[in-house]
Amino acid sequence: MAARFVCYSPLAAPMKRQERRCFNVDLIPCPHAGCKHFFRNRSSLTQHRHALHGFSFEMPTTLLPPHEHSINLPSPTSDSNLDPNDGEQPFADDEMASYHGEQDEYEMDYAIDSNIAPDISNEADEQYHDYHLELDGHICDAAGNFLPPDTAPPPLTSRQPNDWSPYRNRMEFETAKFLYKKVQMSAGDIDKLMHLWGLGLAGHGDAPPFVDHRDLYSTIDQTPIGDVPWQSFSMKYGADADLDGSPMPWMDATYTTWFRDPHTIIRDMLGNPDFKKEIDYAPYREWKGTGDSATRQWRNMMSGDWAWDQADKIAKDPAMHSSTFVPVILGSDKTTVSVATGQNDYYPLYASIGNVYNNVRRAHRNTVAFKKQLFHSSLSRILSSLKPAMSIPEVVQFGDGHFRRVLYGLSPYIADYPEQIVLGCVVQNWCAKCFAYPDNLDSGEVVDTLCEEVDAGVLWDEWGVICELVPFTNNFPRADIHQLLAPDILHQVIKGAFKDHLVAWALMKVYLPAIEGYVPQDIIRCFRAFLEFCYIVWQDIIAEDTLQQLSNCLERFHRYRQIFQDTGIRLDGFSLLRQHALCHYSMLIRLFGAPNGICSSITESKHIKAVKEPWRRSSKFNVLGQMLLTNQRLDKLAASRSDFTARGMLENSYVSDHLGHLERSCARNIRALASELGILDLPRLIRLFLYDQLLADDTHTSDNVPLSACPRFEGRVKIFNSAAATFFAPSDPSGVGGMRHEHIRAVPSWRRGPARNDTVFVNTASEDGINGMEVGRVLCFFSFQHSRETFHCALIHWFELIANEPNPDTGMWMVRPSLHAELRSRELSVVHVDTIICACHLLPIFDADFAPENITLHNILDLWPRFYVNKFVDHHTFEIAS
């Protein structure tokens, strides 16, 4: 064995132990009203106050016109190693306050009323609702006696604001939520953490919040709210076995279903104070415009014709008047948690209510027949507790504190095609919504149900109906499963017609420019029509003219897809179920509102939290019981959080998660900034900007006055590497009220690599732009003071339109870098950040040319001559740039 030697030099200086900072538990709050920042030392607080509260401004109290913004000033920097989109950030301290990194930013936010979402359209037409007159959700007392509308609600709970039970204090609750829900720490690691925590506190006569994992779990289990116990029932095949053969194994098997009482769960949903500002208490019809020009539009489920028709049926009984109709949305979808270790499949069933806004929720023939009937019988058994209150109102306390009489009803069922044929009791390859023949789905031939008139074999073979099955909806009033099958954007439109029939899903956003010039023109037009259908159908608000656009897209898609048959790709035609399903969308939107609130993407995302993660954190032995218990504990934590929030106990952040950023340490005056950017004309651009901000009127702007008339500025500037824009985008994944948050970068080195300068939409109100917007590239964010006023600015390199209308094939606007005609230099301007709407995605127009090898994602905006404005990058861009 070779010997190992360690050399030691007596002359070497001894290693100096690095001094570590001490943990300081005393946090200093910012004294400004409404500010939730906390700091570990007064130096950080001072810098924060100078940066964020150094200047005052008035926030408008009325809704700003579309695309107008207000701005929040910068505050101290955060840790450079954190993702800027991560809300979990540490406290500011002296080291962080001195850091100047590539994620410095300030926030740009709409100035809006907290209860009003701004209208993103270009029209200022009035929107109003016509509510159902009989089922209007009138408030009542706990005994069901109706009260005047202005009656104050009773308290949701009698518990005191300092009652954290079953936790002793807030730290225990925050620790339990962090360990069990956020990081999903194992039992052994929790024990280790509590032991180390306890060792550190023992010398001070204190103890950790929990003794071990058993203490933590037991505390969560003692939560007095959100406790809906699991129940089960078992079923087995009841018919006689085939006399000519031995029983099949499935005939002797017992099938057990676990569930929680949906009646109790839905009452808890109605009483959740988190929903009190995002819930409809009555069906309504939404209109935009006034008088004869008013047009109907659909948004949430209660705006659809189905909810209104249900209310009409219920209102035939005068005893039901003034009640609240609560549609019960169901969804199911098989999910697999492990393929390699036994193919563990689960069939979770989810429930929601149609009152909350869309943005709150999104072999052997007998064997097949038995499995399907088992599914329907299980649903009937699970939902049986709701049935009495579908005919006789019950009194429920809602999240706003008021009691209301409630009538339940089964509403749209969210499912993809395999579940739809089980629910609709139809044969594979038949449509679950109509009786069009599977070999000619677009023929439009529809017939009535013939179960009572036609032989079962004929029904199976010729009409695709399994007459032995009894749909679970037959056991409940006012329910027709064929009407209630919801549109499924994810599986029918995106994964189905687009991914499976047209192109790989991963290329959807950038596919058109990539194939242009290499395939027949009709293929380009076919893709464009289908992409526009996808984005229109996902919009948060769908109006009458939107339905016309939808029909137009579908007609063009059907027309141009013929090229695939002409070129030999689809010789057997287009009788495809997922493409046929698109024909039902206009009708389903009128019935149930915008389909983005009843899409199977909602159930798909629920699989992760309800099935996959609980399975992964289990011991994999007797796993179902562990999964059920995990879900119950998570629900109790969520119920506690909602309860504590409603009682005002979580208003101030226990840990600071709202830190802004300081300016980066580079140029400090305008001349130095001009030199750093290589734009020596910057002082002149700022003078023109100041004229437009301070002196311009209807007849005089910086375009028609001499430079000598413009204010001078030679002072100090603060430079920022990014800005955070907040805007209304409910059609995309967004936060409360449909507000979306994104970062715009202008940094000389992004992640220690080349520079990054994002492109943006700028609101210029230009008649020659894209719906009043122009495209620009942000070269720098900076701010300065002039005449005691602070200006937050962006240096923009403009892109000009190539044509006055979008490309006829792709439907996208085309732009190119704008240059001065005489000098061929870049056309630059300084604009106020309030005019920046959001980020913009540009795609190079390749045509039939191959891109040179030296082109990369870092330099293509500098080297390529022409670009598409990609309206398909997200749904918000599609709405504002179409």
Side-chain angles (χ1 to χ4, degrees):
M1 180 182 293
R4 295 183 61 200
F5 298 92
V6 178
C7 297
Y8 173 75
S9 171
L11 301 178
M15 181 179 293
K16 184 178 180 181
R17 182 166 181 171
Q18 184 177 358
E19 217 174 286
R20 293 183 57 189
R21 294 182 294 112
C22 296
F23 177 75
N24 180 15
V25 73
D26 295 322
L27 301 175
I28 306 172
C30 176
H32 284 259
C35 185
K36 298 180 181 180
H37 289 76
F38 290 80
F39 303 92
R40 289 187 176 139
N41 53 63
R42 295 197 174 277
S43 174
S44 298
L45 172 61
T46 301
Q47 294 189 40
H48 162 77
R49 294 182 67 180
H50 281 303
L52 185 59
H53 304 298
F55 309 99
S56 61
F57 60 95
E58 279 194 19
M59 183 70 73
T61 57
T62 57
L63 190 65
L64 294 179
H67 309 318
E68 288 195 14
H69 308 66
S70 68
I71 187 163
N72 292 333
L73 306 182
S75 57
T77 184
S78 74
D79 193 320
S80 63
N81 296 321
L82 294 177
D83 187 327
N85 296 311
D86 188 357
E88 301 278 341
Q89 297 181 352
F91 295 103
D93 58 28
D94 50 348
E95 287 187 9
M96 296 176 188
S98 63
Y99 171 77
H100 306 288
E102 61 189 18
Q103 299 183 11
D104 307 335
E105 62 194 62
Y106 48 85
E107 306 288 330
M108 292 184 292
D109 294 309
Y110 285 102
I112 62 170
D113 185 288
S114 60
N115 297 325
I116 303 175
D119 181 9
I120 60 172
S121 68
N122 292 323
E123 298 150 357
D125 295 338
E126 179 187 0
Q127 296 183 13
Y128 61 94
H129 293 172
D130 282 337
Y131 288 96
H132 199 277
L133 296 179
E134 280 80 27
L135 260 67
D136 57 356
H138 201 85
I139 63 174
C140 63
D141 59 22
N145 302 308
F146 291 117
L147 301 172
D150 56 352
T151 303
L156 283 169
T157 178
S158 59
R159 297 172 65 188
Q160 298 300 312
N162 59 351
D163 181 6
W164 292 94
S165 58
Y167 309 95
R168 285 174 289 206
N169 49 52
R170 179 170 182 175
M171 189 182 76
E172 282 197 2
F173 168 68
E174 297 281 3
T175 302
K177 186 177 71 168
F178 178 76
L179 296 180
Y180 196 83
K181 182 178 180 180
K182 176 70 176 178
V183 299
Q184 301 179 16
M185 187 175 289
S186 67
D189 287 346
I190 292 174
D191 290 346
K192 182 72 172 178
L193 175 65
M194 293 301 138
H195 178 68
L196 295 174
W197 198 338
L199 289 177
L201 295 175
H204 304 280
D206 206 347
F210 302 100
V211 176
D212 52 22
H213 75 276
R214 293 184 181 86
D215 185 26
L216 187 149
Y217 296 168
S218 174
T219 303
I220 297 175
D221 292 339
Q222 293 172 27
T223 303
I225 55 177
D227 187 10
V228 184
W230 288 93
Q231 307 175 43
S232 68
F233 60 86
S234 299
M235 291 188 292
K236 64 182 300 181
Y237 185 68
D240 294 333
D242 189 349
L243 297 178
D244 297 331
S246 58
M248 300 294 290
W250 56 266
M251 293 180 178
D252 294 328
T254 299
Y255 301 88
T256 301
T257 299
W258 286 88
F259 71 101
R260 287 189 287 181
D261 181 15
H263 186 199
T264 306
I265 289 176
I266 290 172
R267 288 178 65 99
D268 287 348
M269 290 181 186
L270 294 172
N272 190 338
D274 291 347
F275 300 155
K276 64 182 179 181
K277 293 184 178 180
E278 296 183 300
I279 188 171
D280 293 315
Y281 300 108
Y284 64 92
R285 287 172 176 163
E286 183 169 310
W287 302 87
K288 185 171 185 177
T290 57
D292 295 337
S293 63
T295 58
R296 177 88 179 274
Q297 59 185 28
W298 292 263
R299 191 191 306 243
N300 302 306
M301 179 179 292
M302 298 296 276
S303 69
D305 293 342
W306 176 84
W308 191 280
D309 293 341
Q310 291 286 300
D312 282 344
K313 294 176 181 178
I314 295 170
K316 290 179 180 178
D317 182 355
M320 306 297 154
H321 289 189
S322 298
S323 299
T324 301
F325 175 56
V326 177
V328 178
I329 301 174
L330 301 173
S332 60
D333 186 19
K334 184 184 80 170
T335 184
T336 301
V337 295
S338 175
V339 176
T341 57
Q343 188 72 19
N344 295 301
D345 295 334
Y346 292 91
Y347 294 82
L349 174 68
Y350 304 100
S352 183
I353 52 177
N355 306 78
V356 295
Y357 296 171
N358 283 353
N359 64 287
V360 177
R361 293 184 279 282
R362 278 199 192 282
H364 191 280
R365 176 172 166 180
N366 286 339
T367 306
V368 174
F370 169 67
K371 288 181 179 178
K372 292 182 177 181
Q373 190 58 67
L374 176 68
F375 183 76
H376 283 275
S377 299
S378 298
L379 286 175
S380 296
R381 171 66 179 82
I382 292 170
L383 299 170
S384 60
S385 62
L386 284 170
K387 187 173 181 179
M390 291 181 178
S391 303
I392 302 174
E394 68 175 14
V395 178
V396 178
Q397 188 174 23
F398 281 68
D400 62 354
H402 286 294
F403 289 92
R404 292 175 177 86
R405 293 184 182 180
V406 165
L407 276 167
Y408 302 109
L410 296 183
S411 66
Y413 197 113
I414 302 172
D416 62 4
Y417 181 70
E419 276 74 32
Q420 286 190 0
I421 61 173
V422 174
L423 290 162
C425 306
V426 298
V427 181
Q428 182 77 22
N429 296 326
W430 285 74
C431 177
K433 297 292 295 183
C434 67
F435 285 93
Y437 283 107
D439 58 351
N440 190 12
L441 287 169
D442 292 334
S443 64
E445 183 172 353
V446 180
V447 300
D448 294 330
T449 305
L450 303 173
C451 290
E452 298 179 0
E453 307 294 336
V454 181
D455 177 74
V458 175
L459 282 172
W460 177 287
D461 295 331
E462 298 189 15
W463 300 109
V465 177
I466 308 175
C467 65
E468 301 104 316
L469 298 183
V470 179
F472 77 96
T473 50
N474 282 18
N475 297 324
F476 300 93
R478 307 180 305 275
D480 177 2
I481 188 59
H482 297 97
Q483 183 189 46
L484 294 180
L485 291 175
D488 183 7
I489 299 176
L490 178 63
H491 291 94
Q492 292 171 344
V493 180
I494 298 173
K495 287 186 176 180
F498 192 89
K499 174 180 178 290
D500 296 340
H501 302 159
L502 296 180
V503 69
W505 161 236
L507 297 176
M508 183 176 182
K509 294 179 181 177
V510 295
Y511 196 74
L512 286 185
I515 64 176
E516 186 184 23
Y518 296 93
V519 297
Q521 189 179 55
D522 279 3
I523 291 182
I524 299 291
R525 292 174 175 173
C526 178
F527 272 92
R528 173 195 169 181
F530 190 82
L531 283 173
E532 290 181 347
F533 183 96
C534 293
Y535 282 76
I536 290 173
V537 82
W538 195 264
Q539 290 182 8
D540 186 60
I541 302 175
I542 298 179
E544 288 280 5
D545 58 343
T546 314
L547 290 179
Q548 290 294 327
Q549 296 172 25
L550 201 66
S551 298
N552 177 265
C553 291
L554 191 58
E555 185 275 326
R556 288 188 288 118
F557 171 66
H558 287 161
R559 186 197 327 155
Y560 291 125
R561 74 179 178 180
Q562 186 64 35
I563 187 66
F564 293 104
Q565 189 168 18
D566 297 342
T567 54
I569 298 173
R570 281 293 305 180
L571 291 175
D572 52 352
F574 303 99
S575 188
L576 302 167
L577 274 168
R578 288 185 172 90
Q579 292 193 23
H580 164 72
L582 309 183
C583 302
H584 297 300
Y585 268 63
S586 290
M587 177 265 294
L588 291 172
I589 289 169
R590 293 179 184 275
L591 284 176
F592 303 127
N596 64 2
I598 46 175
C599 174
S600 63
S601 59
I602 299 173
T603 56
E604 292 275 357
S605 64
K606 295 294 183 185
H607 288 339
I608 298 173
K609 296 295 183 183
V611 181
K612 296 181 183 294
E613 288 184 355
W615 184 86
R616 293 185 191 124
R617 64 195 294 179
S618 71
S619 67
K620 313 301 185 293
F621 177 72
N622 290 335
V623 65
L624 181 58
Q626 298 176 57
M627 293 168 63
L628 300 181
L629 186 57
T630 296
N631 274 285
Q632 185 160 320
R633 286 172 176 161
L634 290 172
D635 287 346
K636 288 187 174 185
L637 283 170
S640 292
R641 183 206 58 80
S642 179
D643 175 49
F644 297 153
T645 301
R647 288 188 281 142
M649 299 164 67
L650 298 177
E651 288 183 353
N652 296 317
S653 177
Y654 194 67
V655 293
S656 178
D657 57 1
H658 303 287
L659 295 182
H661 303 80
L662 284 174
E663 73 274 10
R664 74 172 191 243
S665 55
C666 296
R668 295 298 185 183
N669 60 66
I670 194 61
R671 295 290 178 183
L673 178 58
S675 177
E676 179 182 310
L677 297 174
I679 302 172
L680 302 181
D681 200 31
L682 182 59
R684 184 184 69 87
L685 297 177
I686 291 182
R687 294 182 67 180
L688 298 176
F689 166 78
L690 284 173
Y691 184 91
D692 288 333
Q693 293 290 311
L694 301 175
L695 304 174
D697 54 30
D698 293 339
T699 58
H700 299 89
T701 67
S702 60
D703 294 331
N704 54 26
V705 298
L707 185 62
S708 59
C710 300
R712 287 185 174 274
F713 176 77
E714 298 289 341
R716 178 183 173 87
V717 296
K718 294 181 180 180
I719 308 169
F720 301 84
N721 282 340
S722 64
T726 304
F727 49 91
F728 184 62
S731 298
D732 287 304
S734 53
V736 176
M739 304 306 292
R740 184 174 172 86
H741 189 75
E742 72 178 10
H743 292 260
I744 301 168
R745 314 286 180 184
V747 56
S749 177
W750 173 246
R751 300 190 185 279
R752 297 181 175 85
R756 172 176 171 178
N757 297 94
D758 291 346
T759 49
V760 294
F761 288 115
V762 182
N763 184 6
T764 61
S766 171
E767 296 181 357
D768 299 326
I770 303 172
N771 299 327
M773 304 178 298
E774 294 187 62
V775 175
R777 188 181 184 191
V778 181
L779 303 183
C780 182
F781 287 112
F782 63 97
S783 68
F784 64 92
Q785 276 190 282
H786 184 273
S787 301
R788 297 186 178 182
E789 184 176 353
T790 300
F791 296 94
H792 300 272
C793 311
L795 178 62
I796 298 291
H797 175 207
W798 295 106
F799 284 68
E800 62 183 3
L801 291 178
I802 296 176
N804 293 327
E805 58 185 18
N807 180 282
D809 295 329
T810 65
M812 293 187 285
W813 292 91
M814 300 178 292
V815 296
R816 61 191 171 204
S818 182
L819 303 174
H820 289 291
E822 312 83 24
L823 305 176
R824 303 302 295 169
S825 59
R826 294 181 296 179
E827 183 181 354
L828 307 175
S829 294
V830 174
V831 302
H832 200 288
V833 291
D834 282 0
T835 62
I836 296 177
I837 298 172
C838 61
C840 167
H841 184 216
L842 299 185
L843 291 169
I845 301 176
F846 291 111
D847 294 329
D849 300 327
F850 289 99
E853 293 184 359
N854 65 322
I855 293 292
T856 69
L857 62 92
H858 303 294
N859 62 19
I860 194 165
L861 287 173
D862 299 310
L863 302 180
W864 205 255
R866 299 185 303 156
F867 301 87
Y868 284 120
V869 179
N870 184 10
K871 69 177 183 179
F872 299 113
V873 68
D874 56 44
H875 298 92
H876 177 251
T877 303
F878 181 83
E879 293 175 19
I880 67 175
S882 290

